[in-house]
Amino acid sequence: MAVGADTKLDARALRADFPILAQEINGKPLAYLDSAVTAQKPRQVLDAMTQFYETSYGNVHRGVYALAERATEAFEGARERIARFVNAPSSRELIFTRNATEGLNLVAYAWGLTNLGPGDLVVVTELEHHSNFVPWQYVAKRTGAGFRMIPLTDAGELDLDGLDEIVADGRVKVVATNLVSNALGTINPVERLSVWAHQHEAIMVVDGAQAAPHLVIDVHALGCDFFAFSAHKMCGPSGVGALWGRRELLEAMEPFNLGGHMIRKVQFEETTWGDLPHKFEAGTSPIAEAVGFGAAVDYITGAGLDLIERHEHELAAYALERLRDVPGIVLYGPPAERRAGIVSFNIEGIHPHDVAQVLDWEGVAIRAGHHCCQPLMHRLGVAATNRASFYLYTVPEDIDRLADGLLRVRKVFG
Ligand SMILES: Cc1ncc(COP(=O)(O)O)c(C=O)c1O
């Protein structure tokens, strides 16, 4: 959708679609500031799933009766729309997974185990979620490949100055990074890293879990080879995600899970694999969840991804400004214009869990912990941070409630 510079997202109107936001928590209106961990669901997604269960539910690709055909149509229709959402050249390259984590494991196992060996390098970043760090660390160890990290600047952005030193250590075969960091909100230079990866004949794997909900995604423009994301962070249901992969790579890869539905022919001596995407979709799929995923993509596309992105930049700028006034606050990450709607912070002398607990008394929900980013926490020299994260239903008043709640935290802990 083309939008003018002054077109704005109407977050207040969108909130009416989210029944969960209308409630009180601890006697206070809910300020939900934990959308990076999982987003809330609009009525449109809930209704699409209920209607599917009530009228069209059956297993997919198996039956010839009306319900099975209807279910297959709804499931494959969702795949088409989700593939278009990331600008995939073909929906056959879009594999339904359980979540982003499973998509990244799929690539690490099915590509990594056969293509990596001694002398090769897997390059991740210091900013990775464990889902795009641990599978690569494990597969590198199993295959004898080296494992390297692109370091961070003090502002929480990737420091690309050392890339040439990494190349000197071996053959770079995989570059794996997130597009948006869940811990700091940093938007990473994936296009540039894709060019670098391909110069070295490496594959470029993108963890899109925090990007797909908030930015216009174009896998072609990103220049990547794989892109993994989760429905539950995009207003969709939990239990389903997707992996987009370049067809020629997917076709050459071994399967990840084995069993029903992913085969072409099974004989005692040998089994052959089905076509894409079925080769990577063993067993019964998350059927209604995929339908909900399709509805979620329709919903956020209808709201406008470019408007969502702009709304979050504005909220991030407002939050950084408001929180700066809290005594003893330490804010992490880049300036608002280079981050999505995520703000991580600590308050000197107060444990993040205590901060989050007092905020909960005020009806303000934020996350406290290492955010599945222990290497980053090590780099920041802390065990944990607080994190407030925003989405299309977040309004500035939620951030005011956070700032006021933090002043209460200061009072409680002196
Ligand atoms: C950047 C990033 N990558 C991967 C994941 C894993 O997502 P999931 O738990 O849905 O697989 C998350 C979840 O928080 C994330 O923020």
Side-chain angles (χ1 to χ4, degrees):
M1 172 163 100
V3 289
D6 46 1
T7 314
K8 285 204 173 249
L9 187 85
D10 191 349
R12 244 169 271 281
L14 293 175
R15 282 174 82 81
D17 293 334
F18 292 79
I20 204 168
L21 297 178
Q23 67 184 299
E24 294 196 337
I25 300 280
N26 295 323
K28 310 273 171 56
L30 168 64
Y32 184 73
L33 295 176
D34 202 12
S35 293
V37 83
T38 199
Q40 297 300 348
K41 319 303 172 200
R43 224 181 279 281
Q44 288 83 339
V45 169
L46 305 175
D47 288 350
M49 292 178 73
T50 303
Q51 200 197 9
F52 176 73
Y53 272 127
E54 287 181 354
T55 64
S56 308
Y57 183 71
N59 212 330
V60 294
H61 301 300
R62 286 159 172 81
V64 290
Y65 51 88
L67 274 187
E69 284 176 0
R70 242 184 256 165
T72 303
E73 219 170 274
F75 180 77
E76 289 304 328
R79 191 196 305 275
E80 289 278 342
R81 285 171 1 255
I82 297 161
R84 265 201 307 276
F85 177 77
V86 296
N87 199 24
S90 158
S91 63
R92 298 172 75 89
E93 300 177 352
L94 199 287
I95 295 155
F96 281 124
T97 59
R98 272 192 309 138
N99 46 37
T101 303
E102 191 177 59
L104 294 165
N105 272 276
L106 190 161
V107 184
Y109 276 84
W111 191 91
L113 284 181
T114 32
N115 288 288
L116 292 171
D120 295 335
L121 289 181
V122 176
V123 181
V124 299
T125 84
E126 207 168 11
L127 200 48
E128 281 329 288
H129 188 281
H130 296 162
S131 294
N132 201 27
F133 188 100
V134 181
W136 291 115
Q137 182 188 47
Y138 176 77
V139 167
K141 267 211 179 104
R142 264 187 64 175
T143 57
F147 185 62
R148 297 286 183 279
M149 270 195 317
I150 300 175
L152 283 187
T153 65
D154 289 341
E157 295 178 284
L158 297 184
D159 181 355
L160 303 186
D161 288 349
L163 291 183
D164 288 344
E165 281 165 42
I166 292 178
V167 177
D169 287 351
R171 281 185 306 272
V172 178
K173 293 286 275 291
V174 178
V175 181
T177 182
N178 59 72
L179 175 51
V180 172
S181 151
N182 63 308
L184 300 182
T186 315
I187 301 174
N188 289 310
V190 164
E191 292 91 339
R192 199 172 148 198
L193 280 170
S194 293
V195 170
W196 181 71
H198 292 148
Q199 273 166 358
H200 297 282
E201 294 178 12
I203 59 162
M204 181 74 206
V205 182
V206 178
D207 169 0
Q210 292 296 342
H214 310 287
L215 310 178
V216 174
I217 301 297
D218 180 341
V219 291
H220 184 68
L222 288 171
C224 59
D225 298 296
F226 294 97
F227 186 93
F229 52 117
S230 282
H232 70 95
K233 295 187 196 283
M234 317 167 55
C235 296
S238 55
V240 66
L243 173 74
W244 169 79
R246 239 178 245 287
R247 180 192 293 237
E248 58 275 22
L249 291 171
L250 291 171
E251 277 175 349
M253 277 155 63
E254 293 297 314
F256 176 48
N257 288 317
L258 300 130
H261 188 61
M262 50 76 65
I263 54 89
R264 181 184 308 279
K265 192 164 186 195
V266 180
Q267 290 175 302
F268 177 71
E269 297 77 17
E270 194 194 15
T271 295
T272 52
W273 319 132
D275 289 332
L276 293 177
H278 311 298
K279 174 175 137 183
F280 292 106
E281 292 182 352
T284 295
S285 293
I287 305 165
E289 289 80 1
V291 171
F293 193 175
V297 158
D298 294 344
Y299 183 81
I300 61 175
T301 307
L305 266 296
D306 31 16
L307 293 187
I308 294 173
E309 182 180 355
R310 197 185 303 159
H311 176 67
E312 289 191 26
H313 281 309
E314 286 172 10
L315 290 172
Y318 183 60
L320 291 173
E321 185 192 312
R322 286 284 338 248
L323 298 190
R324 218 163 260 136
D325 294 339
V326 176
I329 199 159
V330 180
L331 291 157
Y332 304 101
E337 62 275 13
R338 297 206 298 277
R339 68 161 88 195
I342 291 176
V343 174
S344 267
F345 59 93
N346 268 317
I347 300 195
E348 270 165 9
I350 309 178
H351 194 282
H353 286 149
D354 292 335
V355 173
Q357 182 64 63
V358 174
L359 288 174
D360 184 49
W361 300 343
E362 301 294 317
V364 178
I366 65 159
R367 171 98 188 265
H370 55 60
H371 315 296
C372 297
C373 291
Q374 287 182 352
L376 171 67
M377 295 297 120
H378 181 73
R379 170 67 172 83
L380 298 177
V382 297
T385 72
N386 293 110
R387 180 188 69 185
S389 53
F390 320 132
Y391 205 9
L392 72 179
Y393 42 68
T394 309
V395 289
E397 289 87 323
D398 292 330
I399 292 167
D400 293 336
R401 302 261 317 280
L402 169 67
D404 294 345
L406 289 176
L407 294 177
R408 166 131 197 246
V409 170
R410 282 254 61 129
K411 276 206 193 104
V412 171
F413 291 95

